[in-house]
């Protein structure tokens, strides 16, 4: 019996990705016309295998998940990075006939805490990501496939499941963690929603519609979720919040690619601004912000000042023609992208 994987595939021809920040990089002069020029790309092929999810909290640790394996490297920026992996299995799933789990996502809140999730509603937590199989322990969340995951601290993780439920835990690493669930919206196509948590109380999510959901009391007994609407035919696919007030969303609105930015998340709808930044055949699907002034979005574009204007975003040549599955920026100088052709490091 085959298990379907739902990973955010984004097919690249000879296109570019997107990065955002506060001051323009040396030697890069943004155009004012809205068209992005392709700037020099510095890519390294660091791992031959693909990953469903990727989280690189520092330049000395990258953790990925693929099938039932967790894979990691403690030198991902080296000339020839060394990777190890371990297979994780649920301790008790008597009704499972697939032969094992499929790990779908992973999020590391620094080098000392990571959480992975699978297609059976389990999480696997560790305070030692490089410690091997015994360092990871399993917990059942809700028996529904978890599509997105974000941990900003060992005391705050959020997830979104296949049916559009948002789940939050303030003890995700506990032997029996508590997860509080609320329905945000129907996940019509089963694609992974975008999710980002920051600090100890803020999370934001997008689910392929024009709504951007957020909560500023994620650590409360009953977190209150609100939403704003950024209009357009289509929806927002990825979001990243580098600070408790600043968030950047990306998506394929109006059959193009758009970004939306706020510098005051809690203030609501009027603080958001959006613009179309990429008019190629490929659409933006995920984004990660290393700082409040630097973000990288797939496909390959970056900016050094997170603003809702086309001139703020710069295209770089794609590392391969394969579909991209995730992006994680350890710093404003190093971002890591997983594709079906392998894992690549981008640096500037």
């Amino acid at each position: 019996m085959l298990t379907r994987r739902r990973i955010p595939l984004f097919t690249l021809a000879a296109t570019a990705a997107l990065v955002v920040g506060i001051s323009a990089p040396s030697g890069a002069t943004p155009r004012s016309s809205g068209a992005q020029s392709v700037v020099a790309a510095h890519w390294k092929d660091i791992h031959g295998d693909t990953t469903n999810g990727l989280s690189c909290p520092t330049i000395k640790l990258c953790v990925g998940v693929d099938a039932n394996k967790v894979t990691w490297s403690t030198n991902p920026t080296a000339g020839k990075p060394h990777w190890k992996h371990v297979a994780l299995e649920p301790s008790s799933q008597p009704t499972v006939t697939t032969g094992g789990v499929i790990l779908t996502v992973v999020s590391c809140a620094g080098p000392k805490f990571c959480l992975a999730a699978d297609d059976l509603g389990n999480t696997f937590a560790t305070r030692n990501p490089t410690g091997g199989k015994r360092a990871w322990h399993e917990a059942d969340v809700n028996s529904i496939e978890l599509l997105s995951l974000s941990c900003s601290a060992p005391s705050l993780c959020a997830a979104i499941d296949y049916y559009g439920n948002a789940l939050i835990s303030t003890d995700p690493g506990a032997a029996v963690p508590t997860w509080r669930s609320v329905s945000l919206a129907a996940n019509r196509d089963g694609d992974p929603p975008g999710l980002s948590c920051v600090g100890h109380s803020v999370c934001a999510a997008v689910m392929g519609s024009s709504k951007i959901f957020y909560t500023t009391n994620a650590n409360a007994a009953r977190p209150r979720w609100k939403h704003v609407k950024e209009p357009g035919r289509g929806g927002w696919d990825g979001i990243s919040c580098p600070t408790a007030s600043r968030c950047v969303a990306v998506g394929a609105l109006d059959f193009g690619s758009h970004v939306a930015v706020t510098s005051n998340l809690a203030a609501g709808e009027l603080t958001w601004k959006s613009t179309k930044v990429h008019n190629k055949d490929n659409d933006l699907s995920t984004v990660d912000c290393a700082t409040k002034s630097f973000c990288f979005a797939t496909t390959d574009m970056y900016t050094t000042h997170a603003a809702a204007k086309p001139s703020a975003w710069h295209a770089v040549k794609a590392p391969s023609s394969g579909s991209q599955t995730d992006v994680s920026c350890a710093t404003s100088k190093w971002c890591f992208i997983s594709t079906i052709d392998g894992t690549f490091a981008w640096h500037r």
Side-chain angles (χ1 to χ4, degrees), residues 39-197:
V39 299
H42 304 283
W43 291 101
K44 293 176 59 178
D45 186 346
I46 63 171
H47 189 38
D49 293 337
T50 185
T51 54
N52 289 349
L54 185 67
S55 185
C56 303
T58 75
I59 60 172
K60 294 185 178 180
L61 178 66
C62 273
V63 179
V65 292
D66 178 51
N68 67 336
K69 296 185 300 182
V70 172
T71 182
W72 69 89
S73 174
T74 56
N75 62 344
T77 65
K80 294 183 178 181
H82 181 62
W83 292 80
K84 296 181 180 180
H85 71 266
V86 63
L88 302 182
E89 296 290 349
S91 59
S92 59
Q93 289 286 349
T95 62
V96 174
T97 59
T98 59
V101 302
I102 298 295
L103 296 170
T104 52
V105 284
V106 63
S107 182
C108 297
K112 297 298 183 181
F113 182 82
C114 293
L115 192 71
D118 68 15
D119 61 344
L120 301 174
N122 301 304
T123 60
F124 297 83
T126 182
R127 294 186 181 274
N128 181 14
T130 64
K133 187 173 183 177
R134 292 185 177 181
W136 296 81
H137 68 270
E138 172 208 353
D140 177 51
V141 177
N142 66 352
S143 301
I144 302 171
E145 181 175 6
L146 300 176
L147 298 178
S148 296
L149 182 67
S150 180
C151 297
S152 56
S155 58
L156 181 63
C157 287
I160 297 180
D161 68 21
Y162 179 76
Y163 293 111
N165 299 306
L167 304 102
I168 294 177
S169 176
T170 55
D171 61 349
V176 184
T178 299
W179 289 85
R180 300 176 298 279
S181 177
V182 61
S183 177
L184 289 187
N187 189 16
R188 296 181 180 88
D189 55 12
D191 286 337
L195 178 64
S196 180
C197 294

Side-chain angles (χ1 to χ4, degrees), residues 6-22:
R6 298 180 181 91
I7 56 179
L9 296 182
F10 195 86
T11 303
L12 297 176
T15 58
L18 199 73
V19 184
V20 62
I22 289 295

Side-chain angles (χ1 to χ4, degrees), residues 1 36 48 68 76 132 146 169 195 206-207 209 223 274 284 309 313 322:
M1 178 178 177
Q36 283 78 40
N68 67 336
L146 300 176
S169 176
L195 178 64
V206 292
M207 303 183 66
S209 71
S274 62
L284 304 178
K309 57 182 181 180
W313 297 80

